[in-house]
Amino acid sequence: MAERSTAAVDVADTSGEEPLTAQAGQATDDGAEAEKVSGGEKDTASTDETGAAAADTQPPELHSGHKLARRYRLEECVTRLDGFSSWRAVDEKLRRAVGVHILPADHPRARPVLSAARSSALLGDPRFVQVLDAVEENDLVYVVHEWLPDATELTTVFANGPLEAHDAYQLVSQVSQAMAAAHREGLAHLRITPSSVLRTESGQYRIRGLAVMAALRGITCEHPQRTDTEAIGALLYAALTQRWPYENDAYGLTGLPKGVGLIAPDQVRAGVHRGLSELAMRAVVNDGATASRQEQPCTTPEELAKAVAAMPRIRPPETSFSTPPPYQRTGYQQGTYRQSSARNGQPGGRATQSIPTPPPPLQSRTGKALKWSVSALLIAALGLGSWQLADTLLKLEGDQDSPSSSHTTGGKAKTSANKPIKIAKVGEYYPDGQPQHPDQAQDSHDGDPSTYWRSKTFKEGPDLNPAFKQGVGLVYDLGSKQQISSASVGLHYGGKHTTVTLYAANSLSTSEPLSSMQQLGTTTTSQTKAEIKLKKPAKAQYVLVWITAMPYSPREGYSEPGYKQGVTEVSFTS
């Protein structure tokens, strides 16, 4: 489960009462809390015409164990506010954790929530927490969404301190690009806060509650792109300074001093990256007063994403290896066991008695005779062993010269070479967070050439454009470390041309950096099979088949014409 934020739910200014979630000392796990977006913006949920009706509407009387559609079993209520409730639940059909928002069907916001959820589900962008279902049933309206057990809210991340420059750069880059894509489809968030953005273990950022959170809270806005851009700028400001860029405290962060106004992040904390500091000011301050270079403010996520892309690349910090502590000798000495320690410089017990040094061994006449006897026995044993070893080697050489033995030896050599390696598991590899068809990965080694894994169709080719897509591929688990000498990759499409490269990966991770892998070999072909022979056999348990060029192929079934490729059967040999 994603870690929960402990920031108080900020609705006191709009409702005059402490919410149930604040009384419980925890915030919601689905991003439905009612914090302010900025210091000067009010939550329209308390001022719109449906605000009073929503406050009077009681949430459905549900309990842990209740099932929706005979499928979603409610486990834990994480929010109960403004007539709706949010739950952690279990999808018993697919055996996975999910999140569920529930409203009465007569709730004034029920229809907008359904519409927002269905619109968000159509986007299908993996950078957002996906809406899985939106249903009206038995006087209830409920929205089912993904639950990410390996993700952490930015509220928790910020509580541990400011982010490194590279991490902050990744945050603003990924979030601004995701929101630019959403606005191109006519979708806005209006509630981007540290609790609505999650960071996964692989370093990817996921945004939850697109359009749905605003509908649940009844929030409307005349300038949605500007509102979302300011919210992203506030996230970047908090990531750089661990301070909220307004006078009020929020999300567990301390606000700026009252009466000072908004000051640049590099003036709040020493060591802040200058370019990121100016970028935060351009996003947060949309009234013209920007950073020192007086650049134009960013008023849309698209403008912010372009400003991030125009910045010089910020490299990740180098891994530091600490020097191990020097070897410490034990303090145990003979004669001091279980004695009291010294006090005031005086020994705390009887003085340790000195042990006389024993004389060197075998110095007597009898000892000398014994040494000579043992030496003679060792010399005799060594001579006998050498003679037996030489006799064995001569016999072995004679056996190898005979025709029958050479035939046997050759047979063994042939059976040990080109031995196929069994594949245990396979998964799709997509470090940019944009998968192709992960459900088809098993078809690439099922023994049936008629089934295959297929990529999506690209407009540019045959070499993929690295700015848009670096490549597509599959990671194979061989069960244990195996010595690999060659690989055969069956291809569904022939033509000019396909480029396949093998890498030794470290796991089945979908997003392991390509730079951390060892390249084993590569080939380019126009046929329907790519044969890769390693210059030197290498050992690996996980092997990535990485395709960076694909031929042009016509329409086939649901596949559009363009540059694409499919993998029918993959095999490895030792």
Side-chain angles (χ1 to χ4, degrees):
M1 184 194 308
E3 294 186 38
R4 294 185 181 170
S5 165
T6 56
V9 181
D10 183 16
V11 295
D13 292 341
T14 60
S15 64
E17 298 178 358
E18 186 180 32
L20 295 178
T21 47
Q23 294 172 4
Q26 62 187 13
T28 175
D29 259 330
D30 55 17
E33 61 267 54
E35 299 95 343
K36 293 180 181 179
V37 177
S38 65
E41 179 183 344
K42 292 184 179 179
D43 190 342
T44 58
S46 61
T47 58
D48 60 14
E49 296 179 356
T50 62
D56 294 338
T57 304
Q58 295 298 324
E61 289 298 331
L62 301 173
H63 55 81
S64 298
H66 184 90
K67 287 187 181 180
L68 299 173
R70 298 182 181 180
R71 176 176 179 177
Y72 304 111
R73 186 180 74 248
L74 303 182
E75 293 287 326
E76 179 187 8
C77 182
V78 293
T79 300
R80 193 180 298 271
L81 187 69
D82 281 356
F84 71 88
S85 59
S86 299
W87 294 74
R88 177 177 60 84
V90 174
D91 183 349
E92 294 186 335
K93 184 176 181 179
L94 298 180
R95 297 182 181 180
R96 63 180 179 181
V98 295
V100 184
H101 303 304
I102 305 176
L103 302 87
D106 59 352
H107 194 288
R109 298 177 191 150
R111 297 298 173 189
V113 168
L114 270 178
S115 176
R118 290 166 180 170
S119 300
S120 177
L122 292 175
L123 182 61
D125 192 318
R127 293 170 293 191
F128 294 92
V129 174
Q130 298 295 302
V131 172
L132 306 175
D133 208 351
V135 180
E136 180 179 0
E137 181 184 60
N138 297 332
D139 298 328
L140 292 178
V141 167
Y142 56 90
V143 176
V144 183
H145 61 85
E146 281 185 298
W147 189 277
L148 305 179
D150 66 334
T152 305
E153 288 184 2
L154 286 188
T155 308
T156 304
V157 175
F158 291 164
N160 296 327
L163 301 185
E164 295 286 345
H166 177 264
D167 293 334
Y169 173 84
Q170 290 296 326
L171 168 64
V172 67
S173 176
Q174 294 182 32
V175 175
S176 61
Q177 289 178 17
M179 287 309 305
H183 279 284
R184 284 194 293 268
E185 300 298 327
L187 295 173
H189 195 294
L190 306 183
R191 295 291 295 172
I192 300 177
T193 66
S195 58
S196 62
V197 179
L198 310 175
R199 185 171 72 176
T200 65
E201 292 181 350
S202 61
Q204 302 294 318
Y205 292 92
R206 303 283 299 274
I207 306 171
R208 62 185 174 191
L210 177 66
V212 176
M213 284 298 100
L216 283 170
R217 299 292 298 138
I219 299 175
T220 58
C221 182
E222 295 182 0
H223 306 287
Q225 295 204 45
R226 175 169 173 170
T227 299
D228 283 343
T229 305
E230 289 184 359
I232 299 172
L235 291 183
L236 177 59
Y237 195 104
L240 296 173
T241 64
Q242 204 184 10
R243 299 285 293 268
W244 193 237
Y246 305 101
E247 292 183 353
N248 58 297
D249 300 343
Y251 315 106
L253 301 173
T254 305
L256 298 178
K258 297 185 182 299
V260 176
L262 184 62
I263 52 180
D266 56 358
Q267 297 178 9
V268 175
R269 189 177 73 88
V272 172
H273 189 278
R274 180 68 177 275
L276 291 176
S277 174
E278 294 182 349
L279 193 65
M281 294 296 288
R282 293 176 62 188
V284 175
V285 183
N286 284 323
D287 296 327
T290 60
S292 59
R293 291 191 293 174
Q294 296 295 317
E295 295 187 5
Q296 291 297 318
C298 299
T299 58
T300 66
E302 186 78 35
E303 293 178 358
L304 182 58
K306 290 180 179 179
V308 175
M311 289 181 57
R313 182 182 177 186
I314 300 177
R315 298 185 178 274
E318 296 183 359
T319 305
S320 60
F321 298 95
S322 58
T323 305
Y327 173 74
Q328 299 290 336
R329 289 182 172 273
T330 60
Y332 299 112
Q333 296 181 358
Q334 188 175 2
T336 61
Y337 178 65
R338 293 187 63 85
Q339 292 187 7
S340 59
S341 59
R343 297 179 182 176
N344 299 327
Q346 299 297 326
R350 293 183 299 173
T352 303
Q353 298 180 357
S354 60
I355 304 298
T357 305
L362 302 178
Q363 293 297 319
S364 62
R365 183 177 299 177
T366 305
K368 291 181 179 180
L370 180 61
K371 284 196 297 182
W372 282 110
S373 301
V374 172
S375 299
L377 289 174
L378 290 176
I379 293 172
L382 182 61
L384 179 62
S386 301
W387 176 80
Q388 291 179 343
L389 178 62
D391 183 62
T392 303
L393 291 175
L394 289 174
K395 288 183 179 179
L396 181 61
E397 183 178 357
D399 292 340
Q400 289 178 348
D401 291 338
S402 63
S404 60
S405 64
S406 63
H407 175 74
T408 306
T409 306
K412 291 182 179 179
K414 287 182 181 179
T415 56
S416 61
N418 298 327
K419 181 180 178 182
I421 302 174
K422 184 178 179 181
I423 298 174
K425 296 179 182 177
V426 61
E428 189 171 305
Y429 175 73
Y430 45 96
D432 58 355
Q434 299 179 10
Q436 304 296 295
H437 296 94
D439 56 327
Q440 300 175 359
Q442 295 293 337
D443 296 337
S444 66
H445 74 103
D446 60 354
D448 184 3
S450 64
T451 62
Y452 56 95
W453 167 90
R454 180 174 55 81
S455 73
K456 294 182 180 179
T457 303
F458 299 92
K459 301 299 182 184
E460 299 182 34
D463 295 303
L464 295 180
N465 183 357
F468 179 73
K469 192 75 173 178
Q470 293 184 352
V472 297
L474 300 164
V475 183
Y476 294 87
D477 181 2
L478 307 182
S480 61
K481 277 200 171 183
Q482 305 285 342
Q483 181 162 306
I484 306 168
S485 61
S486 63
S488 175
V489 181
L491 303 172
H492 184 65
Y493 302 105
K496 185 180 179 180
H497 60 264
T498 301
T499 300
V500 183
T501 306
L502 294 186
Y503 289 88
N506 300 307
S507 66
L508 277 176
S509 170
T510 62
S511 57
E512 178 187 351
L514 202 64
S515 58
S516 66
M517 303 182 190
Q518 176 189 358
Q519 182 174 335
L520 303 179
T522 185
T523 187
T524 298
T525 181
S526 299
Q527 307 301 319
T528 56
K529 180 175 285 189
E531 299 284 352
I532 303 175
K533 188 171 181 61
L534 278 63
K535 294 182 179 178
K536 183 179 179 182
K539 282 193 173 183
Q541 177 178 351
Y542 304 97
V543 181
L544 168 63
V545 176
W546 186 238
I547 301 175
T548 54
M550 296 180 283
Y552 184 91
S553 300
R555 176 188 294 272
E556 181 183 24
Y558 294 104
S559 177
E560 296 291 333
Y563 295 92
K564 53 188 175 181
Q565 188 54 276
V567 177
T568 57
E569 288 297 317
V570 171
S571 62
F572 303 95
T573 55
S574 60

